[in-house]
Amino acid sequence: MFLIAGPCAIENRDCVMQTAETLNRLCYDLGVTLYFKSSFDKANRTSASARGVGMDEGLKILEEVKRQFGLPILTDVHECRQCEPVAEVADVLQIPAFLSRQTDLLQAAARTGRIVNVKKGQFMAPWDMRGVIGKIEQVQPSAAREGRLWLTERGSSFGYGRLVVDMTGLVEMRRLGCPVVFDATHSVQQPSSLNGVTGGNRELVPYLMRAALAVGIDGLFIETHPNPEQAISDAANQVRLSDMPALLKQALKIDELVKSEKP
């Protein structure tokens, strides 16, 4: 199991470096491969609120994380023109869920030669990701077979203010031949539940994480922040950084047990 983790948005250098240092030390001690994640622009916010530091400043900070800690970097791209400059720093380009069917963006990300992590849209069935794979493999034919295309589950829309996770969908997506990641923090979001602002419940993260690991996944996605209540985005569902050691140790125990047994 690999881990994708970091603050939801790049708010400032100090927050990012503190989180990266803590996660790097933790994952080194536990023998976990860490992809450090943070977004330079939260372009799909519910309201016109703070979005982050922007691409130029954000890439400088992520490059410093990479240089100082030797960590591979994952970050979002929202437009085709962002793919090439972001790929100069990031090892994984992430396609946000709301953009998961955008053909030009998917293919621009694939053309960089970097790993592409596509978040399944809240409006898509697991088997709909076949279309995503097909679009990417038009420009990178062996992406799925070589593990250079990841598929991430982050819940499906249920009504107007909830997300639900169908754990059998993780099995369905693994059958498509790509590494599958479970996003434990976005899956507990409650969209537009706080007067037009996305809410959530971080207390539910461990329960969904355990269920996904029991099904069998390849990677775990957890956004984490030193002081989640003060985060500029996803304050209600990011995991407190100080809670990550216990959470990750538990995850590893379940992952080891599941993968040591034949289905």
Side-chain angles (χ1 to χ4, degrees):
M1 183 197 75
F2 60 87
L3 175 69
I4 300 168
C8 177
I10 301 175
E11 303 171 13
N12 55 66
R13 176 189 175 277
D14 290 346
C15 176
V16 168
M17 297 305 288
Q18 177 188 349
T19 307
E21 181 178 14
T22 301
L23 290 174
N24 183 51
R25 184 171 59 248
L26 171 63
C27 289
Y28 178 82
D29 289 344
L30 295 177
V32 175
T33 298
L34 169 66
Y35 291 82
F36 185 80
K37 182 271 170 185
S38 200
S39 302
F40 55 78
D41 182 13
K42 302 301 295 182
N44 58 354
R45 298 296 302 275
T46 301
S47 58
S49 50
R51 291 171 45 167
V53 299
M55 187 172 76
D56 292 343
E57 181 63 23
L59 290 179
K60 289 179 183 176
I61 293 172
L62 291 175
E63 189 172 28
E64 184 176 357
V65 169
K66 190 172 189 176
R67 184 174 62 251
Q68 182 164 333
F69 302 110
L71 291 173
I73 299 296
L74 179 149
T75 196
D76 301 290
V77 288
H78 297 88
E79 303 175 42
C80 295
R81 64 178 180 84
Q82 294 177 340
C83 293
E84 286 293 341
V86 171
E88 293 179 7
V89 175
D91 302 272
V92 185
L93 304 188
Q94 179 166 279
I95 309 298
F98 285 121
L99 300 177
S100 56
R101 293 177 61 177
Q102 299 301 306
T103 304
D104 289 346
L105 180 58
L106 290 166
Q107 294 186 341
R111 285 191 187 97
T112 66
R114 296 300 194 183
I115 296 170
V116 180
N117 181 39
V118 184
K119 289 198 163 186
K120 180 178 74 65
Q122 298 92 318
F123 44 85
M124 295 173 68
W127 44 88
D128 290 337
M129 297 304 280
R130 287 195 190 95
V132 170
I133 296 171
K135 291 176 181 182
I136 285 181
E137 291 200 328
Q138 283 183 342
V139 298
Q140 197 178 132
S142 57
R145 186 174 66 254
E146 295 177 355
R148 303 189 63 77
L149 171 57
W150 303 345
L151 306 179
T152 293
E153 172 64 78
R154 49 93 17 102
S156 298
S157 295
F158 181 79
Y160 291 110
R162 293 292 301 274
L163 294 170
V164 296
V165 180
D166 175 7
M167 293 298 167
T168 65
L170 295 167
V171 179
E172 294 280 357
M173 287 202 294
R174 288 194 94 195
R175 289 172 178 163
L176 300 179
C178 297
V180 169
V181 178
F182 178 63
D183 183 344
T185 42
H186 286 96
S187 292
V188 300
Q189 280 185 337
Q190 295 170 354
S192 302
S193 62
L194 301 175
N195 296 319
V197 177
T198 295
N201 186 351
R202 70 175 58 87
E203 293 179 1
L204 297 178
V205 168
Y207 299 99
L208 289 182
M209 178 198 77
R210 291 197 291 260
L213 288 163
V215 170
I217 53 174
D218 303 285
L220 188 60
F221 183 114
I222 301 177
E223 288 188 335
T224 181
H225 192 286
N227 301 291
E229 294 84 358
Q230 299 176 16
I232 66 170
S233 64
D234 290 357
N237 53 274
Q238 292 195 69
V239 169
R240 198 174 307 281
L241 186 59
S242 60
D243 291 337
M244 284 296 291
L247 193 65
L248 193 53
K249 289 174 184 176
Q250 186 178 83
L252 288 171
K253 289 179 180 179
I254 299 172
D255 184 67
E256 181 179 1
L257 175 63
V258 169
K259 293 176 180 174
S260 67
E261 299 287 340
K262 292 184 179 180

